[in-house]
Amino acid sequence: MSIWDRRYTVSPASITIISPEAANGRNVVAYGLVKALASRMKTTVVRPIACHKEMLTSTLIAASSSPDLDPDVCRGTCPCKATSNEEQTRADALAAYDRVVAQTNPDMVLVVGSDHSKVFDPAIIQLNAAIAADLRSPVLLVVCTIGREPKQVMKTVQACRRTIEASGTTLAGVVVSGCEEGQKQPLQDFFKDYDRPCWTVSKKAFDTDAEADQVRNDAYKAFTEDVNPDEVLKAVEEAKPKVTTPVAFQNDLLAKAKANKKTIVLPEGGEDRIIKAADYLLARNIVDLIIVGDKDSILARGKELGLNNLDKASFQPMDDEQVLAPMVERLCQLRAKKGMTPEQARKQLADPSYFGTMLVVLGKADGLVSGSINSTANTVRPALQVIKTKPGASLVSGAFLMCFPDHVAVFADCAINLNPSSEQLADIAIQSAQTARSFGVNPRVGMLSYSTLGSGKGPDVDLVEEATRLAKEKAPDLPIVGPIQFDAAWSPTVAATKAKGDPVAGKVNVFVFPSLSAGNIGYKAVQRTSGALAIGPVLQGLNKPVNDLSRGALVADIINTVALTAVEAQD
């Protein structure tokens, strides 16, 4: 089962209601739809952005299939904080979604966007749409016709749709609210050729007061007279998005790690970023951690940093003879051909990276993450010497998972091999395709060069041509194109000119660079200029998962890499 199966194969369907006004007309639609759907299937409610004082959430919950659900479980972030930290707001929305689904096990989740505010914030509709994309939830757009002619309603819909689709999700349909009786037919005529279904809903008062049952009943009756919920469900199914946003990828990575917890060792216990990341992971019960270092000093530093969960980790001092003695013995066995002596072994094990790697060898940990203060060589060398490569693997290579706004790609080799031979490039391509599959990406490989299918000549092109031939020979079922320039690999438009008729060009999602220099420059250039999230490097080809951090890694990068390592260990 791939990482995506947890959410998108097993989890419920969803609809996100977004409105530029988000007042009574939107509320009538949200209430009417949740009540109508609850009569057909097990339906629940999520409010990604909602004030803890508002009453709409309680009203919607009461009409759902889970009337006893705590409204605070359904809420993600307060509106006053939402756009000040978009990344955290989107993470909080996913957390609220997961809480609600875990507690209610629904067939359908109605996600209701932010409420009307007297403060105009142009970023809020984009944020609502981004959250819908994170949830792979199609959007039902509610636009009020009060004060608008049909042409103005259409222009409002078109403007909102551009924002919705630019965020990575899809428009399932449009509801025009606040309609007087004489307005419905002109609106329906105006939208009759629109490529999405459109419903017109009568203007009705709405009240979330506990005593306002009759008002809500009238609103519900008007809604069901104007909208057939089965038509909405059909539109939602047809518009189901197929994107994977960076926030969704990270959320699923953490959820996958948590579903089958593994133990990861962190050799750099004296580094603040490492213990901050550890605290985050331990607070959410995502992995078990062994932190190398003195427990008292690490906990004391954690207290200074305001961290409250580090005591959930296991701590391993490097002078613990009960662990060190069998470690020395095992290391001497593994390095016997190199003439390793106990004295040399103890000296080697004074290096935290080596010590941590041996915890993996002894079976005390399932994987290792290091490199925040050590070089890649210091992380990889012990792994190569004592964990060694998988059977059949000729080398270790480093790939990054590049999370773009609407999909995930793999870039390799960006970390290990300076100037790989044709044979090594072919193996890097196959390893990278396997990495892509393990994270739910159906690989289409591009062997990068300054030439596209013979457009340029030279020794570097010859090397990539031979690597492409070898990769096709070793993995005949793997979709692969090469040599190919990055633009022709990435863009269907460019591919139509430079690689006309090639089934892989323009659709590549596994990019194999011809050298470490090109790969490292390439991933960092894309990361910094496009805003893509880079997770990794994933060290490919080792018997056990050992992953390296950039020395410039942020806490979020460390969290992602530890979770990724845990997921690798599950496989």
Side-chain angles (χ1 to χ4, degrees):
M1 181 177 285
S2 81
I3 191 171
W4 310 117
D5 295 333
R6 181 196 69 85
R7 178 183 295 282
Y8 302 122
T9 300
V10 179
S11 73
S14 66
I15 306 169
T16 295
I17 295 178
I18 293 177
S19 172
E21 292 88 16
N24 274 7
R26 190 285 308 267
N27 296 350
V28 168
V29 174
Y31 181 81
L33 191 57
V34 72
K35 191 168 182 177
L37 292 176
S39 68
R40 289 165 165 76
M41 61 185 71
K42 195 173 181 182
T43 302
T44 193
V45 176
V46 172
R47 300 296 318 281
I49 304 170
C51 178
H52 69 280
K53 295 179 181 178
E54 55 82 30
M55 294 304 297
L56 177 64
T57 301
S58 297
T59 302
L60 296 175
I61 289 170
S64 76
S65 306
S66 309
D68 298 325
L69 190 63
D70 183 346
D72 285 338
V73 171
C74 303
R75 297 186 182 108
T77 301
C78 181
C80 63
K81 299 177 182 177
T83 54
S84 63
N85 188 339
E86 178 179 327
E87 186 175 346
Q88 187 59 52
T89 297
R90 291 167 69 176
D92 289 343
L94 281 160
Y97 178 96
D98 283 343
R99 285 196 304 269
V100 171
V101 169
Q103 289 193 24
T104 62
N105 191 29
D107 302 310
M108 171 65 72
V109 181
L110 188 67
V111 182
V112 181
S114 57
D115 296 326
H116 175 73
S117 172
K118 293 180 181 179
V119 178
F120 172 68
D121 188 341
I124 197 69
I125 191 167
Q126 187 277 332
L127 181 53
N128 279 291
I131 291 168
D134 293 337
L135 295 170
R136 281 192 171 175
S137 179
V139 169
L140 188 66
L141 179 65
V142 181
V143 175
C144 186
T145 192
I146 296 173
R148 292 184 177 127
E149 298 174 356
K151 186 175 181 179
Q152 294 167 330
V153 173
M154 173 63 87
K155 286 190 173 182
T156 304
V157 168
Q158 289 171 333
C160 292
R161 182 174 181 175
R162 286 194 293 271
T163 298
I164 288 164
E165 293 180 345
S167 297
T169 188
T170 54
L171 180 67
V174 177
V175 178
V176 183
S177 64
C179 298
E180 303 285 1
E181 192 56 43
Q183 292 178 297
K184 288 185 177 180
Q185 194 58 52
L187 281 162
Q188 289 167 359
D189 291 342
F190 204 84
F191 275 85
K192 65 180 172 48
D193 294 325
Y194 195 57
D195 67 343
R196 294 291 185 274
C198 179
W199 299 272
T200 52
V201 174
S202 300
K203 181 181 178 182
K204 284 291 176 182
F206 191 82
D207 198 332
T208 57
D209 234 23
E211 308 301 320
D213 282 348
Q214 189 55 53
V215 174
R216 291 194 292 273
N217 287 339
D218 289 345
Y220 176 66
K221 183 181 178 189
F223 175 81
T224 53
E225 287 173 353
D226 293 328
V227 178
N228 181 342
D230 292 330
E231 293 178 358
V232 175
L233 290 172
K234 183 174 183 292
V236 166
E237 179 59 32
E238 291 175 351
K240 192 172 181 180
K242 295 181 174 64
V243 301
T244 299
T245 67
V247 173
F249 185 89
Q250 291 175 89
N251 184 70
D252 282 327
L253 193 61
L254 296 174
K256 175 74 171 174
K258 185 175 181 176
N260 181 9
K261 285 174 63 180
K262 296 297 179 182
T263 300
I264 306 301
V265 59
L266 304 175
E268 300 165 324
E271 162 60 40
D272 284 356
R273 290 169 295 160
I274 291 291
I275 60 174
K276 286 178 181 178
D279 187 80
Y280 181 97
L281 292 160
L282 293 166
R284 290 155 182 80
N285 201 30
I286 292 167
V287 291
D288 292 324
L289 293 175
I290 298 174
I291 302 177
V292 175
D294 178 69
K295 178 178 180 178
D296 291 340
S297 61
I298 293 171
L299 291 178
R301 180 56 182 159
K303 190 173 181 180
E304 291 174 2
L305 295 171
L307 307 178
N308 301 311
N309 298 280
L310 286 176
D311 58 354
K312 297 177 183 176
S314 297
F315 294 87
Q316 182 56 64
M318 294 176 63
D319 59 357
D320 180 355
E321 194 61 31
Q322 286 188 321
V323 172
L324 195 54
M327 199 177 276
V328 168
E329 182 181 354
R330 182 69 176 132
L331 183 54
C332 288
Q333 291 172 355
L334 291 170
R335 304 287 288 163
K337 290 183 179 179
K338 298 293 183 180
M340 178 73 73
T341 66
E343 292 75 19
Q344 290 171 330
R346 284 182 178 273
K347 185 177 180 180
Q348 194 91 72
L349 291 167
D351 178 346
S353 293
Y354 229 114
F355 186 90
T357 303
M358 285 304 297
L359 290 174
V360 177
V361 172
L362 294 177
K364 294 182 180 296
D366 301 300
L368 175 144
V369 172
S370 186
S372 68
I373 55 177
N374 283 287
S375 68
T376 296
N378 281 351
T379 299
V380 176
R381 189 183 301 111
L384 285 172
Q385 289 179 356
V386 296
I387 290 177
K388 303 187 185 300
T389 55
K390 293 178 181 177
S394 65
L395 79 170
V396 173
S397 61
F400 278 86
L401 301 173
M402 303 294 291
C403 302
F404 295 97
D406 58 355
H407 74 288
V408 178
V410 176
F411 283 22
D413 179 2
C414 306
I416 305 294
N417 298 283
L418 287 173
N419 292 294
S421 65
S422 294
E423 292 80 6
Q424 290 172 324
L425 271 181
D427 286 347
I428 290 167
I430 293 167
Q431 285 181 348
S432 302
Q434 290 168 343
T435 295
R437 287 191 195 96
S438 69
F439 289 98
V441 178
N442 187 25
R444 297 182 296 274
V445 178
M447 308 294 285
L448 298 179
S449 173
Y450 60 78
S451 168
T452 294
L453 301 179
S455 66
K457 300 296 181 183
D460 292 343
V461 177
D462 295 341
L463 180 128
V464 177
E465 282 182 347
E466 177 63 8
T468 304
R469 185 189 69 77
L470 290 170
K472 288 180 176 180
E473 187 178 279
K474 292 182 177 183
D477 295 330
L478 180 62
I480 187 166
V481 60
I484 190 166
Q485 292 162 289
F486 190 94
D487 57 351
W490 177 273
S491 167
T493 303
V494 176
T497 301
K498 290 188 173 184
K500 189 174 182 180
D502 189 279
V504 181
K507 302 173 185 176
V508 168
N509 54 20
V510 177
F511 297 84
V512 179
F513 291 83
S515 69
L516 179 59
S517 181
N520 195 269
I521 292 169
Y523 103 80
K524 286 182 177 176
V526 170
Q527 177 192 27
R528 299 300 178 186
T529 58
S530 75
L533 172 70
I535 300 178
V538 182
L539 297 186
Q540 307 172 137
L542 287 168
N543 262 323
K544 295 278 188 179
V546 171
N547 284 317
D548 179 43
L549 298 165
S550 165
R551 277 170 283 181
L554 303 175
V555 171
D557 299 326
I558 299 168
I559 291 167
N560 288 334
T561 303
V562 172
L564 179 149
T565 306
V567 170
E568 284 187 283
Q570 292 172 357
D571 295 334

